[in-house]
């Protein structure tokens, strides 16, 4: 049977036709007046559509559209939103335009496996996607020239369905792309753009390109679900993180290789590439091949340009959590590309191996070797990452491993409730205009005490009531699906109480996040939950990875308690099928946000930032972003940075700390209520928390940091190396360094200290350096100052450049004169590094010579 298709679009009257344009730009998702237009059309349809206005408009009866076109108040609101939208899109004074300082025109391509833009665009699973979506939104708000690249999944990420015993089952609904805010990208000839991606030597897959408008920027998505492809090829983009290891590498080849090809096919030429986690690292390979072909360069020369103009963000603080593949599987798909680059298979494999004898090919290692700019997503995660990957830079002190940190943030307008945002604009903004507050500007937040306590508390209680209503409605729906009788279903109306201290916990149910820590001592928890004077209730939500049996056991444990233990029934609730909408209700409605991972396994975390923006207080392990805040006087830290003798000891100590904080500090502060029904103590904590956290932990600040710390340098060095024969010069310099480094040595010839050195005295340090065929301009000699550590190394306090002052035979003499920084014992070492002003840094690949 031959099936033909056609599309029917809603026929909107002219005076409200703007709604079609609005529905096709994800800008609506973080602008409440725009959202309210769709709610006013049909609130139930809006909910049923999962906040997808394009699908919704296709379901609105024509009669209703005609009615709305005659509703003067509605048309007026449409025009207000339309004016705000065009003002936003055409703003000539964006942050980027007023702060741009790179040479020429920058364009950054941001690659990620998932994006959390809106629940109506289900191409996300968790924190990585939320961060990517917020990155793109803030790029739009700032006017930053960033475009996104990802995959176009046939099925949305897993829906969670709990059975009567609380065991998680999964459902993968098909995405109805004809009714989502996406459209195919066509070329100038009007034909849909497709790219061919080679999967090894004997297989080629076609991928089409879809575009999602996200305010001022665009997100592009690759799709292999095409009739021209085989059934197996069409499955590549069927599910996010779907299939076996082979399908996973096929996805990553399509994203990385195909993504670079798609940008070129669209006539887009990024000057900076940003790899968000290692999944898309193969893009570096395609970039090298393209530059080799277009500029007639060899591998070494093209690699210089790609390395200098690429940024990599790692999100995973454990080795096993990074993407590893069997080398045989990598060879099946990537040996073709190794030949295109003119390098041996062993050399290619070495790009992704941590050590020569490593058993797997790691995408993180590939990214670290081929990008000049790398970072973790919190200060502590930067420290952990440098320790994790120090083997890539042998002989380099850990604190100098070139992996920095840029702490994650959140897109404030997406995660603040409309009630709290209205309050902020009323009391923090001078203009009371929706788009006038840059959340990364600390000045408006200094006015937080202008908000009357009563108004802030009223907003908070409104959101808390909405969370409780959501929890009850979702639980009733769940019980109906599980086949319970209506008497049992209606009992769901009793869960949670609006006047009770409410604590939220919602995240992916990975075991290291310890969702069950709270339940370590049920008798102790019973006393906390059922305290007659100061009761506490808990709301849980989250999904386990479909293959994570232990994570599913955690969910079952909590769900069973909520259903079967009378001490906790109606007071501890598990909300099924955690998604962006549930997350929004939770972070906007709880009093306290609980986070208790095993330190330091939480790279950053952002849900606590979202809760803090809405006035919730943090109760957290000193991990991820909270390690940069706590201990503080506006939230609570569970334990400290201690190390424990065993997992059991750690869990026992930290559970005890959690119970003590709830009983002795949190509940008393919350219930210290006045005659108006709220606690002034609690409101003061809320305001301090909002002021401190909201002004820093946002993606506007984060994207600005990426621009200043990485994007400008990557763009400028990429442009520099692309000029004339600069890349060839740098590649020749690197070969000269490699060929001669074995002949480099440094010897200390500083005169012996024959008398005590006093503070303020100057010491002349001297070194004798042999360079072989290298010249002084090829290297830098450093005096490495500090104090000797317990392992025989030096904890650096400063590295001082030494100056070449002459020769002694074939060797060079280097000197520097300094005054001691501190009294007491001082230690120093001498070292030689390469030197070149045409590269971002000289630590990759590493050549370093310490004095023997």
């Amino acid at each position: 049977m031959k099936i033909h298709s056609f599309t029917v679009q809603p026929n909107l009257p002219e005076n409200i036709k703007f709604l079609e344009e609005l529905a096709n730009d994800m800008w609506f998702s973080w602008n409440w007046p725009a959202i309210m237009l769709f709610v006013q059309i049909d609130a139930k349809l809006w909910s049923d559509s999962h906040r997808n206005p394009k699908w919704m408009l296709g379901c609105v009866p024509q009669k209703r559209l005609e009615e709305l076109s005659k509703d003067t108040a509605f048309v007026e609101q449409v025009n207000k939103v339309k004016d705000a939208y065009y003002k936003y899109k055409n703003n000539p004074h964006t942050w980027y335009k007023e702060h741009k300082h790179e040479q020429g025109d920058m364009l950054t391509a941001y690659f990620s496996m998932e994006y959390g833009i809106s629940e109506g665009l289900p191409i996300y699973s968790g924190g990585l996607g939320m961060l990517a979506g917020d990155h793109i939104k803030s790029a739009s708000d700032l006017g930053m020239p960033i475009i996104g690249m990802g995959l176009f999944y046939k099925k949305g990420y897993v829906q969670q369905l709990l059975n009567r015993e609380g065991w998680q089952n999964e459902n993968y609904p098909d995405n109805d792309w004809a009714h989502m805010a996406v459209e195919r990208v066509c070329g100038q000839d009007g034909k849909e753009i497709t790219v061919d991606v080679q999967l090894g030597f004997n297989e080629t897959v076609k991928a089409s390109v879809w575009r999602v408008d996200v305010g001022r920027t665009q997100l592009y998505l690759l799709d292999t679900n095409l009739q021209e492809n085989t059934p197996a090829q069409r499955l590549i983009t069927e599910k996010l993180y779907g299939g076996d290891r082979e399908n996973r590498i096929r996805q990553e080849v399509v994203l990385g290789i195909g993504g670079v090809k798609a940008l070129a096919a669209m006539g887009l030429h990024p000057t900076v590439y940003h790899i968000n986690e290692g999944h898309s690292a193969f893009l570096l390979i395609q970039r090298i091949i393209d530059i080799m072909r277009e500029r007639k360069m060899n591998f070494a020369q093209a690699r210089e340009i790609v390395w200098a103009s690429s940024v990599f963000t790692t999100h995973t603080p454990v080795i096993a959590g990074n993407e590893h593949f069997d080398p045989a599987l990598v060879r099946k798909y990537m040996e073709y590309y190794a030949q295109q680059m003119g390098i041996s298979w062993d050399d290619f494999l070495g790009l992704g191996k941590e050590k020569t004898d490593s058993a797997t090919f790691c995408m993180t290692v590939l990214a670290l070797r081929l990008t000049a700019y790398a970072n973790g997503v919190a200060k502590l995660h930067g420290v952990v990452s440098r320790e994790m990957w120090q083997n890539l830079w042998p002989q380099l002190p850990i604190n100098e491993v070139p992996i920095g940190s840029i702490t994650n943030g959140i897109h404030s307008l997406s995660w603040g409730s409309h009630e709290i945002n209205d309050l902020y604009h009323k009391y923090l903004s001078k203009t009371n205009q929706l788009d006038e507050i840059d959340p990364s500007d600390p000045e408006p937040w200094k006015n937080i005490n202008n908000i009357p306590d009563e108004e802030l508390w009223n907003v908070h209680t409104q959101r808390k009531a909405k969370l409780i209503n959501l929890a009850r409605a979702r639980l009733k729906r769940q019980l109906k699906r599980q086949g319970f009788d209506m008497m049992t279903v209606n009992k769901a109306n009793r869960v949670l109480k609006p006047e009770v201290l409410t604590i939220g916990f919602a995240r992916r149910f990975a075991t290291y996040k310890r969702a069950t820590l709270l339940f370590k001592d049920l008798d102790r928890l019973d006393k906390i939950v059922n305290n007659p004077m100061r009761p506490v209730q808990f709301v849980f939500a989250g999904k386990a990875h479909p293959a994570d049996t232990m994570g599913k056991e955690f969910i079952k444990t909590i769900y069973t308690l909520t259903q079967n233990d009378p001490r906790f029934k109606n007071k501890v609730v598990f909300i099924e099928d955690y998604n962006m909408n549930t997350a929004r209700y939770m972070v906007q409605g709880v009093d306290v946000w609980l986070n208790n991972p095993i330190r330091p396994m939480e790279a950053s975390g952002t849900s606590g930032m979202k809760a803090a923006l809405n006035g919730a207080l943090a109760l957290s392990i000193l991990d991820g972003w909270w390690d940069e805040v706590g201990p503080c006087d506006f939230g609570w830290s569970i334990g400290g940075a201690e190390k424990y003798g065993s997992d059991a000891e750690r869990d026992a100590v930290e559970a005890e700390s959690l119970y003590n904080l709830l009983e002795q500090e949190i509940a008393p502060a919350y219930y210290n209520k006045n005659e108006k029904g709220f606690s002034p103590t609690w409101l003061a904590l809320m305001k301090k928390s909002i002021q401190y956290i909201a002004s820093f932990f946002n993606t506007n600040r984060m994207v600005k940091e990426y621009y200043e710390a990485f994007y400008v340098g990557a763009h400028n060095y990429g442009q520099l190396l692309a000029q004339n024969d600069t890349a060839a010069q740098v590649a020749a310099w690197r070969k000269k360094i490699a060929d001669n480094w074995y002949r480099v040595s440094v010897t200390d010839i500083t005169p012996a200290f024959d008398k005590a050195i006093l503070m303020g005295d100057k010491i002349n340090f001297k070194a004798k350096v042999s360079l072989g065929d290298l010249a002084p301009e090829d290297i830098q000699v450093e005096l490495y100052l500090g104090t000797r550590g317990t392992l025989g190394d030096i904890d650096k306090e400063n590295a001082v450049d030494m100056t070449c002052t002459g020769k002694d035979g074939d060797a060079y003499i280097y000197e520097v004169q300094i005054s001691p920084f501190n009294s007491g014992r001082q230690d120093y070492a001498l070292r030689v590094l390469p030197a070149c002003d045409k590269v971002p840094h000289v630590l990759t690949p590493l050549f370093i010579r310490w004095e023997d």
Side-chain angles (χ1 to χ4, degrees):
M1 177 175 60
K2 190 172 184 179
I3 299 175
H4 302 272
S5 302
F6 60 92
T7 301
V8 177
Q9 295 182 335
N11 184 18
L12 274 77
E14 194 60 36
N15 62 347
I16 60 171
K17 201 168 186 62
F18 167 70
L19 291 171
E20 283 185 347
E21 184 176 357
L22 182 63
N24 280 287
D25 191 325
M26 301 307 293
W27 176 86
F28 81 83
S29 68
W30 69 90
N31 287 277
W32 183 249
I35 291 170
M36 280 306 296
L37 288 177
F38 299 114
V39 174
Q40 289 176 59
I41 293 171
D42 190 317
K44 185 176 186 305
L45 264 182
W46 177 245
S47 177
D48 292 346
S49 74
H50 302 289
R51 298 166 67 94
N52 175 3
K54 189 171 181 180
W55 180 90
M56 175 190 166
L57 288 178
C59 298
V60 177
Q62 190 65 32
K63 181 181 178 182
R64 175 62 176 154
L65 296 175
E66 297 293 342
E67 287 175 357
L68 290 165
S69 72
K70 297 170 185 175
D71 183 332
T72 304
F74 182 80
V75 173
E76 182 179 343
Q77 189 61 27
V78 169
N79 289 330
K80 282 185 178 179
V81 172
K82 182 178 180 180
D83 290 344
Y85 175 71
Y86 287 134
K87 178 184 176 185
Y88 176 90
K89 296 277 278 190
N90 301 317
N91 182 6
H93 303 295
T94 63
W95 181 91
Y96 173 73
K97 287 179 180 177
E98 299 194 340
H99 293 83
K100 177 183 184 297
H101 60 91
E102 72 273 13
Q103 300 161 8
D105 295 324
M106 181 189 81
L107 178 61
T108 297
Y110 181 90
F111 278 60
S112 182
M113 200 76 159
E114 52 175 299
Y115 289 89
I117 307 292
S118 167
E119 54 268 38
L121 189 70
I123 55 172
Y124 63 89
S125 71
L128 182 71
M130 296 300 104
L131 185 279
D134 285 4
H135 193 116
I136 294 295
K137 291 176 185 176
S138 274
S140 171
D141 288 345
L142 297 169
M144 196 82 73
I146 296 176
I147 51 177
M149 177 61 70
L151 295 180
F152 183 91
Y153 301 105
K154 180 175 181 288
K155 294 180 180 290
Y157 193 64
V158 58
Q159 286 185 344
Q160 180 189 58
L161 302 170
L162 301 182
N163 66 16
R164 284 194 176 203
E165 287 69 45
W167 189 255
Q168 173 182 298
N169 294 296
E170 294 88 30
N171 182 39
Y172 291 88
D174 282 347
N175 283 326
D176 182 6
W177 291 113
H179 296 98
M180 291 184 177
V182 297
E183 65 177 62
R184 288 188 184 272
V185 178
C186 297
Q188 293 182 345
D189 58 3
K191 295 181 179 178
E192 294 173 357
I193 290 177
T194 61
V195 292
D196 292 336
V197 182
Q198 199 71 26
L199 300 175
F201 288 101
N202 303 313
E203 184 181 6
T204 303
V205 62
K206 284 190 176 297
S208 62
V209 190
W210 296 76
R211 187 187 80 241
V212 180
D213 289 327
V214 187
R216 297 186 184 102
T217 193
Q218 288 77 42
L219 168 63
Y220 297 99
L221 304 171
L222 296 173
D223 178 18
T224 67
N225 185 26
L226 308 176
Q227 290 185 352
E228 304 96 305
N229 289 330
T230 67
Q233 291 172 339
R234 297 180 72 164
L235 289 176
I236 292 174
T237 57
E238 182 184 47
K239 294 179 186 176
L240 171 59
Y241 305 132
D244 56 14
R245 295 304 296 163
E246 183 148 16
N247 194 64
R248 184 69 163 261
I249 197 171
R250 288 159 73 89
Q251 283 188 334
E252 297 187 7
V253 171
V254 168
L255 175 58
I257 304 291
V260 173
K261 288 190 163 191
L263 292 172
M266 291 185 287
L268 297 170
H269 304 288
T271 59
V272 178
Y273 282 77
H274 186 166
I275 300 165
N276 188 43
E277 196 56 291
H279 308 116
S280 58
F282 287 139
L283 74 84
L284 300 160
I285 304 303
Q286 186 61 43
R287 287 194 67 203
I288 290 172
I289 291 170
D290 288 347
I291 291 171
M292 289 175 66
R293 183 184 66 252
E294 294 164 5
R295 298 181 177 274
K296 311 300 181 190
M297 290 182 171
N298 61 32
F299 169 77
Q301 295 164 349
R303 174 178 174 164
E304 292 295 342
I305 298 176
V306 170
W307 174 77
S309 57
S310 299
V311 178
F312 170 57
T313 298
T314 177
H315 291 259
T316 311
V318 289
I319 292 288
N322 289 267
E323 190 78 282
H324 290 78
F325 290 110
D326 183 277
L329 189 60
V330 180
R331 185 167 196 166
K332 177 179 178 180
Y333 289 99
M334 296 306 295
E335 188 171 19
Y336 167 84
Y337 295 100
Q339 290 191 9
Q340 294 287 305
M341 293 188 294
I343 63 174
S344 70
W345 176 245
D346 285 343
D347 286 343
F348 184 94
L349 207 55
L351 294 173
K353 282 194 168 189
E354 184 180 359
K355 302 176 183 176
T356 54
D357 60 349
S358 295
T360 59
F361 182 96
C362 179
M363 297 296 281
T364 300
V365 172
L366 175 67
L368 288 171
R369 284 221 164 94
L370 292 179
T371 58
Y373 303 89
N375 70 286
V377 290
K379 288 181 180 178
L380 178 60
H381 183 229
V383 173
V384 171
S385 297
R386 289 189 286 276
E387 293 173 350
M388 281 175 60
W389 303 111
Q390 61 178 300
N391 287 328
L392 301 184
W393 290 271
Q395 294 186 295
L396 194 66
I398 291 175
N399 66 337
E400 290 189 277
V401 167
I403 303 175
S405 66
I406 293 179
T407 302
N408 280 348
I410 61 168
H411 185 252
S412 302
L413 275 179
S414 291
W415 295 104
S417 71
H418 69 91
E419 294 96 340
I420 201 80
N421 282 329
D422 287 347
L423 207 57
Y424 292 155
H425 283 90
K426 180 179 179 181
Y427 289 102
L428 273 58
S429 170
K430 296 177 181 177
T431 63
N432 198 27
Q433 293 298 308
L434 187 66
D435 58 351
E436 292 297 330
I437 290 182
D438 177 351
S440 62
D441 179 1
E443 288 303 313
W445 298 105
K446 293 178 181 178
N447 299 321
I448 194 73
N449 286 320
N450 292 347
I451 302 176
D453 284 358
E454 198 165 356
E455 286 193 49
L456 180 57
W457 187 248
N458 286 342
V459 162
H460 181 65
T461 54
Q462 288 175 43
R463 293 309 313 184
K464 192 172 183 179
K466 290 183 178 183
L467 167 61
I468 291 172
N469 288 337
L470 172 83
R472 291 171 176 174
R474 295 285 287 275
L475 186 56
K476 288 170 74 173
R477 186 181 71 184
Q478 173 186 322
L479 293 171
K480 284 180 183 178
R481 195 200 70 248
Q482 293 171 341
F484 285 95
D485 60 81
M486 287 309 298
M487 183 178 295
T488 302
V489 170
N490 289 331
K491 286 180 181 178
N493 289 324
R494 302 175 187 173
V495 303
L496 306 176
K497 293 180 179 179
E499 69 276 9
V500 173
L501 171 61
T502 304
I503 298 178
F505 180 103
R507 53 192 36 87
R508 183 168 55 91
F509 264 62
T511 51
Y512 77 86
K513 295 177 184 284
R514 294 192 297 180
T516 56
L517 184 67
L518 178 70
F519 305 98
K520 186 168 182 61
D521 185 341
L522 293 180
D523 291 335
R524 184 79 181 275
L525 182 62
D526 174 24
K527 293 177 182 178
I528 294 170
V529 169
N530 294 300
N531 184 310
M533 301 299 293
R534 297 194 292 260
V536 183
Q537 59 194 13
F538 294 86
V539 182
F540 282 81
K543 298 173 183 175
H545 186 280
D548 185 359
T549 301
M550 186 56 68
K552 292 182 180 181
E553 289 286 358
F554 277 22
I555 292 172
K556 182 181 177 183
T557 296
I558 297 172
Y559 180 82
T560 301
L561 282 168
T562 68
Q563 297 301 304
N564 301 331
D565 193 321
R567 295 175 296 178
F568 307 117
K569 193 172 182 64
N570 297 333
K571 299 163 187 174
V572 179
V573 175
F574 189 97
I575 299 178
E576 182 184 65
D577 196 28
Y578 185 52
N579 58 23
M580 283 185 78
N581 192 43
T582 308
R584 194 175 290 110
Y585 273 88
M586 286 190 66
V587 299
Q588 292 171 2
V590 298
D591 299 305
V592 174
W593 194 259
L594 174 61
N595 181 44
N596 47 234
I598 297 171
R599 175 187 161 99
M601 296 180 70
E602 186 81 272
S604 174
T606 57
S607 57
M609 304 174 193
K610 297 163 187 170
L613 175 68
N614 288 283
L617 301 180
L619 171 58
S620 179
I621 293 289
L622 283 171
D623 199 10
W625 74 279
W626 185 251
D627 186 66
E628 297 172 36
V629 182
C632 63
D633 59 358
F634 51 79
W636 297 275
S637 298
I638 304 167
E642 303 89 354
K643 296 186 183 298
Y644 298 97
S646 67
D647 292 349
E649 179 190 7
R650 179 197 59 233
D651 289 354
V653 171
E654 292 180 349
E656 180 71 14
S657 174
L658 172 57
Y659 296 141
N660 288 341
L661 288 168
L662 288 169
E663 286 178 323
Q664 300 167 19
E665 297 188 33
I666 298 172
Y670 182 84
Y671 285 105
N672 184 28
K673 295 184 177 182
N674 58 18
E675 67 282 356
K676 295 181 179 179
F678 62 82
S679 164
T681 304
W682 194 265
L683 266 295
L685 292 172
M686 288 174 66
K687 289 180 179 180
K688 288 186 75 172
S689 173
I690 291 167
Q691 179 179 350
Y692 187 94
I693 294 172
S695 64
F696 182 82
F697 295 97
N698 59 78
T699 42
N700 276 31
R701 183 271 311 159
M702 182 192 80
V703 172
K704 290 177 186 178
E705 279 195 38
Y706 275 111
Y707 174 72
E708 297 290 356
F710 290 167
Y711 294 165
V712 170
H715 169 85
N716 287 345
Y717 276 111
Q719 299 299 97
L720 172 66
L721 287 163
Q723 292 174 5
N724 302 322
D725 60 347
T726 306
Q729 292 172 12
V730 172
W733 167 79
R734 286 210 194 273
K735 185 176 187 306
K736 182 180 177 184
I737 294 291
D739 290 346
N740 285 275
W741 203 251
Y742 74 98
R743 301 169 67 185
V744 172
S745 65
V746 56
T747 304
D748 181 30
I749 56 172
T750 302
F753 303 118
D754 53 6
K755 62 179 181 179
I757 298 167
L758 302 177
M759 290 294 291
D761 287 351
K762 290 193 177 295
I763 305 173
N764 193 55
F765 293 92
K766 294 182 71 174
K768 187 176 182 179
V769 182
S770 297
L771 296 179
D773 289 337
L774 298 177
E777 55 266 28
D778 293 323
I779 59 97
Q780 55 192 332
V781 181
E782 292 181 343
L783 175 71
Y784 197 82
L785 286 166
T787 54
R788 189 188 303 271
T790 57
L791 300 177
D793 54 356
I794 290 182
D795 295 328
K796 185 184 74 166
E797 291 176 359
N798 202 12
V800 183
D801 286 337
M802 303 182 76
T803 303
C804 184
T805 58
K807 293 191 72 174
D808 182 2
D810 291 336
Y812 293 88
I813 303 301
Y814 281 77
E815 298 183 63
V816 68
Q817 192 175 77
I818 65 164
S819 295
F821 299 110
N822 302 299
S823 59
R825 176 174 172 156
Q826 306 286 298
D827 299 294
Y828 71 93
L830 301 173
R831 69 180 185 181
V832 184
L833 290 163
C836 180
D837 62 3
K838 296 182 176 66
V839 297
H841 65 77
V842 295
L843 300 178
T844 305
L846 179 65
F847 289 95
I848 188 170
R849 183 73 69 213
W850 296 90
E851 181 185 17
D852 291 332

